[in-house]
Amino acid sequence: MKDYIKWIRSKVGHETIILNFSGACITNERGEILLQKRSDKEELWGFPGGALEIGESIEEAMIREVKEETGLDVNVEYLIGVYSKYFSKYPNGDSAQSIVYFFKCNVASGDLVIDNKETFDLRFFDKNNIPKLFIQQHTDMLNDYLQDRKGVFK
């Protein structure tokens, strides 16, 4: 099913729901981390990724979302963790508990493509020069990656 969030919202309105997302920590050959300047959060930075659609695995969703948002095809190296106790209130009044399955990936092929719809900028950052991320969930994910943690459940 495409547009699952729109469909479920048509049933429950703005009530708090659980949403599942997959995200990627993509590094280049210099060990720099790819971040996306997002169009939905005051143009702040975060990791590429997005919501699962009905019928997708968490890996398939991450690969699809990364391709849509960055133009890159990626290889999954490992699962960094699952980040589940985070809540978001959206500008339109929607409320959700967000679960993110966060993968470490590398670039298989492709060139960075900025669509100006979901993505305003894409940039690889040195791990010692990361900008402020748009939510605590992404900050926690980054910190776990930087500490070389695997199998995190929060």
Side-chain angles (χ1 to χ4, degrees):
M1 170 185 288
K2 200 159 175 71
D3 294 324
Y4 171 74
I5 295 174
K6 185 184 271 186
W7 175 81
I8 197 72
R9 284 291 176 201
S10 75
K11 309 289 186 202
V12 300
H14 299 297
E15 294 294 322
T16 301
I17 60 173
I18 296 173
L19 293 175
N20 289 282
F21 298 92
S22 285
C25 180
I26 303 165
T27 57
N28 63 16
E29 63 282 348
R30 292 181 299 283
E32 297 169 321
I33 300 167
L34 180 65
L35 295 176
Q36 168 193 34
K37 188 176 262 191
R38 305 170 58 90
S39 63
D40 63 340
K41 295 290 182 181
E42 302 174 27
E43 298 185 35
L44 296 176
W45 295 91
F47 290 100
L52 274 70
E53 298 290 350
I54 298 287
E56 280 186 314
S57 72
I58 58 174
E59 181 183 25
E60 290 167 338
M62 182 274 300
I63 289 169
R64 175 185 52 78
E65 286 285 348
V66 165
K67 181 71 170 180
E68 290 173 4
E69 294 177 354
T70 72
L72 299 176
D73 295 302
V74 294
N75 294 316
V76 175
E77 294 180 35
Y78 55 86
L79 178 69
I80 296 169
V82 180
Y83 299 79
S84 60
K85 198 170 182 182
Y86 299 84
F87 294 84
S88 297
K89 186 82 167 177
Y90 295 89
N92 68 354
D94 289 353
S95 178
Q97 179 177 355
S98 300
I99 300 171
V100 176
Y101 305 87
F102 190 50
F103 294 91
K104 169 62 178 75
C105 300
N106 60 57
V107 178
S109 63
D111 295 309
L112 290 177
V113 176
I114 298 168
D115 68 7
N116 290 317
K117 187 175 163 188
E118 291 185 73
T119 304
F120 286 160
D121 197 3
L122 294 165
R123 193 174 312 157
F124 282 96
F125 289 90
D126 180 274
K127 64 182 177 182
N128 297 312
N129 193 29
I130 302 289
K132 181 174 173 28
L133 302 182
F134 80 106
I135 56 174
Q136 187 62 46
Q137 191 173 33
H138 281 226
T139 300
D140 291 349
M141 292 168 7
L142 172 65
N143 289 334
D144 288 335
Y145 169 70
L146 293 174
Q147 294 171 21
D148 199 29
R149 296 188 68 205
K150 297 178 181 91
V152 175
F153 297 97
K154 291 185 176 180

